Amino acid sequence: MRLRKQLLKCKHVTLQRYLEALNRVLNLNVNDVELVALDLEMTGLDPQVDQILSIGIVPISHGQLQMQQAEHKLIKIDGSVGQSATIHGILDHHLEDAVSIEEAIEWLLEQTQGKFIVAHHAPLDIRFLQVQFQKIYNENVKLPVIDTLMIERNRLLKQHETLQDGALRLGASRARYNLPVYNAHNALIDALACGELLLAQIQAISTQGQVKIADIAKLT
């Protein structure tokens, strides 16, 4: 319903086509829908002030990560990365040949056309993208997304487990499925980690592997 409402409000043809493509796959089983695990690195946590530094994506097709199609884009920013470099490791000189934010957003929409985005703690990433849609397309569009953090939260609460501080972080969530530890804080590696987590979650909550994409979206 939220997706249809956004589609009715949207005026820009690029975003209209994007939302229409997603609307057509809502009733399909999750393993029959193309997904894209996504992660962003930013200069900070305020989408109105801070900037996107990099975007990492890993496509998921028929329940398998498509690493040969994984991509990582560095993005030019105004000014310096500042102290945020201590978190993501991206330095000013790394961005010398980076693409513009406009090019990056266009590329992202092309790569995720007709595919559901998957992210961990998705609202943060989506808010940053929303700000860019407003600037570039003059549209206040919130992309539909599958949030692995919220899936994990709902799954644990259903099992009547107490949520400790940090229990829903990406690493902690992965540990419950015996997934490997990835130490590097990088958009592409975090996208991979998120994609692996989603596949483990689907396996845990599915009945004979048949889960509709709309059911997964409702959990988020």
Side-chain angles (χ1 to χ4, degrees):
M1 183 63 71
R2 291 195 300 268
L3 178 56
R4 294 191 182 99
K5 285 182 178 179
Q6 287 209 84
L7 184 54
L8 290 173
K9 293 179 181 179
C10 186
K11 303 300 180 183
H12 196 284
V13 64
T14 298
L15 294 174
Q16 279 182 340
R17 290 172 180 168
Y18 188 95
L19 296 174
E20 284 170 353
L22 291 180
N23 191 51
R24 289 194 291 268
V25 303
L26 276 174
N27 290 318
L28 297 179
N29 291 324
V30 66
N31 286 333
D32 295 328
V33 178
E34 302 290 314
L35 309 171
V36 177
L38 165 81
D39 187 70
L40 308 182
E41 296 294 343
M42 296 84 76
T43 58
L45 300 178
D46 185 345
Q48 298 298 332
V49 176
D50 296 305
Q51 301 174 74
I52 301 173
L53 286 166
S54 68
I55 301 176
I57 62 169
V58 179
I60 304 171
S61 180
H62 302 292
Q64 293 186 332
L65 297 164
Q66 305 299 313
M67 292 308 300
Q68 71 277 13
Q69 298 172 30
E71 292 190 63
H72 182 231
K73 294 281 187 185
L74 292 173
I75 302 168
K76 293 177 182 176
I77 62 170
D78 294 328
S80 171
V81 300
Q83 292 300 312
S84 68
T86 60
I87 297 174
H88 47 66
I90 299 172
L91 303 175
D92 290 336
H93 72 268
H94 293 151
L95 303 179
E96 290 175 358
D97 297 319
V99 300
S100 68
I101 186 61
E102 292 81 9
E103 291 173 303
I105 293 298
E106 182 179 0
W107 163 80
L108 179 62
L109 291 176
E110 289 175 354
Q111 296 301 311
T112 58
Q113 181 84 14
K115 305 173 184 179
F116 258 83
I117 287 176
V118 182
H120 196 76
H121 190 30
L124 179 62
D125 291 338
I126 295 303
R127 283 197 295 270
F128 270 85
L129 294 177
Q130 272 185 283
V131 169
Q132 296 307 318
F133 294 149
Q134 185 67 55
K135 290 179 179 178
I136 298 169
Y137 302 112
N138 195 31
E139 290 275 9
N140 185 22
V141 172
K142 182 178 180 181
L143 294 185
V145 64
I146 295 170
D147 188 347
T148 50
L149 184 151
M150 290 304 296
I151 291 175
E152 194 65 6
R153 179 182 182 276
N154 289 327
R155 193 179 75 84
L156 293 176
L157 290 177
K158 189 175 181 180
Q159 295 174 355
H160 306 291
E161 294 194 24
T162 301
L163 298 180
Q164 304 292 338
D165 287 345
L168 297 176
R169 290 178 180 171
L170 182 55
S173 297
R174 286 172 57 82
R176 281 187 285 273
Y177 301 89
N178 297 314
L179 293 169
V181 175
Y182 296 144
N183 291 320
H185 195 75
N186 169 282
L188 184 57
I189 293 174
D190 285 351
L192 168 61
C194 175
E196 289 177 340
L197 174 59
L198 177 70
L199 295 181
Q201 289 173 326
I202 291 172
Q203 183 66 29
I205 65 178
S206 66
T207 302
Q208 298 180 345
Q210 300 301 307
V211 180
K212 288 186 178 181
I213 194 70
D215 295 332
I216 293 292
K218 284 178 183 176
L219 293 175
T220 66

